[in-house]
Amino acid sequence: MSLDVVDLRTFYTGPLGAVARRLLGRAIRARWSNVTSLAVLGVGYATPYLDLFSGEAERVIAVMPAAQGVVNWPSGGLSAAALCDLDMMPLADASVDRVLLVHALEIGESPREILSEMWRILTPGGRLILVAPNRRGLWARMDTTPFGFGQPFSRGQLTTVLREALFSPVHWAEALYVPPIPRRTFLRSAATWERVGATLALPFAGVHMIEATKTLYRPVAIRQTRRVGATQMRPVLVPAPRLTRGEGMASLAPVHTASLD
């Protein structure tokens, strides 16, 4: 199920969206503390987190899926947002250093094709951060937030789809342990929920956050060589008996000769 860009923007302007932006933004920035002279691409609806890199990265671009819609970003200056199909992006090969996927994989028709396209546009050694709803978390069970739409994932499912798209996970984390209830009691204690949940590794975090690097080699399938046993080998020609002197040179004769009547 696709999300509408208006609903996404409304969520992030509300109190619960502000908490999600703060907690996830802190975790993302901890992984990418320095993006100087790098090209950063946000895919899905990543604009609430791209402001972290504005003014530091060489360029920051936001790409949103066609079914979702697009909003102008940043609010001031020239727009750096575009609308396109996530599995067929108008970017050159190896043209981006960092890719941030938020609200993208869970609503895509083919997660593997989306990640394969990210692999194509990433530079050698490029990195990707994927934020996806946790199947066991409360945020995926409530449709009052964008993380409650689409397909949630387990850690094993994300590992499989990343490796199929030739990515190697290098860091795993969970976030949004606070219940998705817009009450002041929960909102004020969100940092405490996050600290306790991460310390105890509780299983009900709202989202998975995985950092992966681009693998530069493609696996080659190993074929089993079939060897034919010696008993199955049948010679076509065998040497004829040696001729006596004067009868000519030795020649090869068939094993079986046909008689002519």
Side-chain angles (χ1 to χ4, degrees):
M1 181 177 180
S2 300
L3 288 169
D4 188 84
V5 69
V6 176
D7 296 330
L8 287 162
R9 183 172 56 183
T10 302
F11 169 76
Y12 278 104
T13 56
L16 193 59
V19 169
R21 179 192 303 186
R22 185 174 71 252
L23 297 178
L24 280 176
R26 187 182 304 166
I28 293 169
R29 189 58 171 171
R31 297 305 307 171
W32 293 348
S33 58
N34 185 5
V35 295
T36 304
S37 72
L38 298 180
V40 179
L41 173 68
V43 179
Y45 191 79
T47 52
Y49 310 99
L50 292 181
D51 291 331
L52 299 169
F53 310 111
S54 297
E56 179 182 335
E58 179 183 357
R59 62 180 180 273
V60 183
I61 305 172
V63 171
M64 303 182 188
Q68 169 190 291
V70 65
V71 294
N72 183 47
W73 182 86
S75 56
L78 298 176
S79 178
L83 188 71
C84 69
D85 292 329
L86 300 187
D87 56 354
M88 191 171 56
M89 302 177 65
L91 294 173
D93 296 352
S95 58
V96 178
D97 301 293
R98 298 289 185 269
V99 173
L100 174 63
L101 274 85
V102 187
H103 303 300
L105 202 68
E106 63 269 23
I107 62 175
E109 295 182 0
S110 177
R112 181 177 178 180
E113 291 183 4
I114 294 175
L115 290 175
S116 295
E117 185 69 357
M118 301 305 108
W119 189 96
R120 182 187 68 82
I121 65 176
L122 271 172
T123 57
R127 299 217 167 191
L128 171 146
I129 286 183
L130 168 62
V131 178
N134 180 10
R135 181 179 293 276
R136 303 172 64 182
L138 295 177
W139 289 69
R141 301 174 185 272
M142 301 180 66
D143 58 3
T144 54
T145 78
F147 297 102
F149 290 82
Q151 176 189 355
F153 296 90
S154 65
R155 181 167 179 170
Q157 290 172 329
L158 290 174
T159 301
T160 300
V161 72
L162 282 168
R163 288 178 176 172
E164 287 178 350
L166 302 180
F167 282 99
S168 297
V170 295
H171 177 76
W172 286 87
E174 282 78 31
L176 302 185
Y177 288 93
V178 60
I181 302 174
R183 294 182 180 178
R184 292 184 179 180
T185 303
F186 293 106
L187 298 178
R188 290 178 178 177
S189 59
T192 303
W193 281 89
E194 205 74 6
R195 183 171 58 254
V196 173
T199 302
L200 301 179
L202 298 179
F204 55 81
V207 297
H208 295 288
M209 197 190 81
I210 307 98
E211 183 181 16
T213 184
K214 177 178 179 177
T215 305
L216 297 181
Y217 62 88
R218 292 182 178 272
V220 178
I222 300 177
R223 296 182 179 179
Q224 185 178 2
T225 303
R226 183 181 178 184
R227 295 186 177 180
V228 181
T231 57
Q232 297 177 335
M233 298 177 64
R234 299 179 180 178
V236 177
L237 300 174
V238 295
R242 184 176 180 180
L243 301 177
T244 60
R245 183 177 298 179
E247 292 180 349
M249 301 293 293
S251 61
L252 296 177
V255 178
H256 300 286
T257 58
S259 60
L260 297 176
D261 295 334

